[in-house]
């Protein structure tokens, strides 16, 4: 399939289903959206949560078997995809703000679950999340702002974020450098397509020599934004079509989120950023404090070539296993990195069956 023929923000990847949009608002005034892909009634509903700068598009890609179609074919006929404030489908990441992952755990995920429950009632809900969607949803679950979740699958990272050394340096100094010296307050993988001699264009040109694995500027900038000097996926796992569509599948990233991630990396666990903001005082300072009370089973996924969050999920599984033995599970994916477990060309054969097995066992 020619990537030029795939429209941006398309739902064409899910043709055999009823597709409906369900907008909702958060308590702090942001309009968000749930998209429902319904092929058949099912007692077990699946909610998909994207990561920072991506969107629901990562789960409905038309160039290969996507997760929504895979779940439909496996009998999970009612699948929902969330676009929360980190979504590339919204302008929020390109705005000047001071949002943190605490805001998402406090506002976005509870509001999304409330809207979802309005339509599905008390049916079982399983959540599959990626990247900072995994971190923020895990925070919401362990803080008790969301309840009634039957199972949770977290890819790449959850409550014990760990990064390579170079990433720690970028997390620590990058936000101030971007906001107060280089400008603007966000990074964008589309900088390679920016007008010549603009700041974004110059940044893309500056990072390109350090990423010789391909000639796609968006891949280079994404590696600079998130990778520890290496790509955020294994190139061999990605379709050339997907690789060419990276500017459409990833959006801008407000650098203030980096400050919260940096604080977590330094602490070795998910911690609150600060007390400022309505409701934040009600959140735990350490999100793992009440881990013994959490009964939702979690499947921790991670590629063994994860150059973004390294062994974060291995460490998190080990920690929680010492608190609630036998409740949670770990799956290490050979040859995979950070993003490709959901966006790779052959994930329907190499990754999704492990997720499906976990879902079916928890569906009861």
């Amino acid at each position: 399939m020619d990537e030029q023929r795939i429209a941006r923000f398309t739902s064409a990847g899910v043709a055999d289903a009823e597709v409906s949009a369900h907008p909702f608002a958060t308590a702090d005034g942001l309009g968000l959206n749930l998209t429902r892909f319904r092929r058949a009634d099912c007692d077990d509903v699946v909610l998909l949560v994207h990561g920072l700068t991506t969107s629901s598009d990562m789960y409905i890609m038309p160039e290969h078997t996507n997760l929504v179609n895979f779940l439909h074919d496996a009998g999970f006929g009612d699948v929902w995809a969330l676009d929360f404030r980190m979504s590339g489908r919204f302008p929020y990441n390109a705005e000047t703000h001071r949002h943190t992952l605490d805001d998402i755990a406090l506002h976005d995920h509870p509001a999304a679950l409330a809207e979802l429950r309005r339509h599905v009632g008390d049916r079982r809900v399983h959540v599959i999340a990626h990247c900072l969607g995994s971190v923020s949803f895990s925070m919401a679950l362990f803080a008790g702002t969301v309840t009634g979740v039957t199972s949770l699958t977290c890819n790449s990272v959850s409550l014990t974020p760990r990064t390579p050394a170079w990433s720690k340096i970028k997390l620590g100094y990058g936000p101030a450098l971007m906001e107060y010296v280089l400008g603007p307050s966000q990074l964008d993988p589309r900088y390679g397509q920016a007008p010549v001699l603009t700041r974004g264009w110059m940044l893309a040109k500056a990072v390109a020599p350090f990423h010789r694995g391909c000639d796609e500027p968006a891949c280079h900038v994404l590696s600079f934004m998130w990778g520890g000097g290496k790509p955020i996926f294994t190139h061999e796992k990605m379709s050339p079509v997907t690789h060419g569509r990276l500017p459409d599948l990833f959006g801008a990233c407000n650098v203030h989120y980096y400050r919260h991630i940096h604080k977590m990396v330094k602490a070795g666990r998910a911690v609150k950023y600060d007390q400022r903001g309505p409701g934040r005082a009600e959140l735990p300072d350490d999100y793992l404090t009440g881990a013994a009370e959490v009964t939702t089973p979690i499947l921790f996924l991670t590629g063994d070539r994860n150059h973004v969050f390294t062994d974060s999920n291995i460490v998190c599984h080990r920690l929680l296993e010492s608190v609630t033995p036998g409740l949670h599970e770990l799956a290490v994916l050979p040859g995979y990195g950070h993003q490709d477990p959901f966006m790779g060309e052959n994930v329907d054969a190499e990754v999704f069956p492990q997720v499906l097995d976990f879902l079916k066992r928890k569906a009861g």
Side-chain angles (χ1 to χ4, degrees):
M1 180 180 291
D2 184 351
E3 63 268 25
Q4 300 301 320
R5 298 182 182 178
I6 300 177
R8 192 177 181 187
F9 303 150
T10 181
S11 59
V14 186
D16 188 19
E18 175 189 350
V19 182
S20 57
H22 301 268
F24 62 96
T26 65
D28 62 340
L30 295 184
L32 307 180
N33 189 69
L34 283 161
T35 303
R36 186 180 196 178
F37 302 94
R38 181 178 174 275
R39 183 185 291 181
D41 289 331
C42 183
D43 291 334
D44 291 86
V45 175
V46 180
L47 173 64
L48 308 178
V49 182
H50 60 81
L52 178 55
T53 83
T54 54
S55 68
S56 56
D57 292 278
M58 64 176 284
Y59 297 115
I60 57 173
M61 297 159 61
E63 61 264 37
H64 58 72
T65 301
N66 58 62
L67 184 56
V68 171
N69 284 335
F70 182 89
L71 291 171
H72 282 171
D73 292 342
F76 291 87
D78 197 359
V79 181
W80 296 64
L82 170 64
D83 281 284
F84 63 105
R85 73 182 65 199
M86 286 183 171
S87 172
R89 287 194 171 209
F90 296 128
Y92 308 133
N93 290 328
E95 297 174 351
T96 302
H97 63 68
R98 285 291 186 265
H99 298 164
T100 69
L101 277 73
D102 297 319
D103 297 314
I104 299 167
L106 182 64
H107 298 301
D108 296 22
H109 296 313
L113 264 294
E115 175 63 20
L116 178 68
R117 288 292 184 191
R118 274 202 326 114
H119 300 275
V120 305
D122 61 355
R123 285 188 278 168
R124 292 184 292 267
V125 173
H126 307 262
V127 178
I128 300 174
H130 168 67
C131 187
L132 297 191
S134 293
V135 177
S136 58
F137 198 92
S138 297
M139 289 163 60
L141 180 66
F142 279 65
T145 61
V146 299
T147 58
V149 176
T150 301
S151 75
L152 172 61
T153 298
C154 291
N155 181 57
S156 184
V157 62
S158 181
L159 293 173
T160 57
R162 293 159 60 88
T163 67
W166 172 230
S167 295
K168 293 178 184 178
I169 296 172
K170 290 189 290 184
L171 290 170
Y173 296 100
L177 184 64
M178 286 300 299
E179 288 184 334
Y180 298 106
V181 180
L182 300 176
S185 61
Q186 71 274 345
L187 293 165
D188 196 320
R190 293 181 288 268
Y191 279 161
Q193 302 172 348
V196 175
L197 297 181
T198 59
R199 291 180 178 181
W201 180 88
M202 288 189 286
L203 177 62
K205 289 297 183 182
V207 303
F210 299 97
H211 300 89
R212 299 184 179 276
C214 69
D215 57 1
E216 173 53 60
C219 185
H220 305 160
V221 178
L222 284 168
S223 298
F224 173 74
M225 291 166 61
W226 289 110
K230 298 180 180 179
I232 64 172
F233 45 72
T234 302
H235 275 90
E236 292 75 17
K237 295 294 186 182
M238 299 290 280
S239 159
V241 176
T242 302
H243 192 256
R245 293 183 63 216
L246 293 177
D248 289 345
L249 292 167
F250 292 84
C253 169
N254 184 286
V255 295
H256 186 65
Y257 287 121
Y258 287 13
R259 292 188 174 100
H260 197 176
I261 301 166
H262 186 237
K263 184 171 183 177
M264 292 185 186
V265 170
K266 288 174 62 180
R269 54 212 293 127
V271 293
K272 184 163 56 181
Y273 185 70
D274 61 30
Q275 299 287 347
R276 291 174 292 179
R280 286 192 191 175
E282 302 171 9
L283 296 172
D285 293 331
D286 180 343
Y287 283 87
L288 282 163
T289 300
E293 283 72 53
V294 175
T295 58
T296 299
I298 303 173
L299 171 62
F300 294 99
L301 289 176
T302 186
D304 64 0
R305 300 183 188 178
N306 188 343
H307 301 306
V308 178
F309 287 108
T310 62
D311 60 347
S312 298
N313 270 356
I314 296 173
V315 171
C316 195
H317 176 260
R318 184 187 306 135
L319 186 154
L320 291 179
E321 181 69 12
S322 68
V323 178
T324 50
L327 179 61
H328 309 297
E329 302 179 24
L330 171 68
V332 178
L333 307 171
Y336 278 87
H338 167 72
Q339 193 72 37
D340 37 333
F342 288 127
M343 294 175 62
E345 185 172 18
N346 299 308
V347 286
D348 58 317
E350 298 176 348
V351 178
F352 293 168
Q354 298 184 62
V355 178
L356 178 63
D357 174 69
F358 178 73
L359 289 179
K360 284 187 172 181
R361 286 187 285 109
K362 303 310 173 185

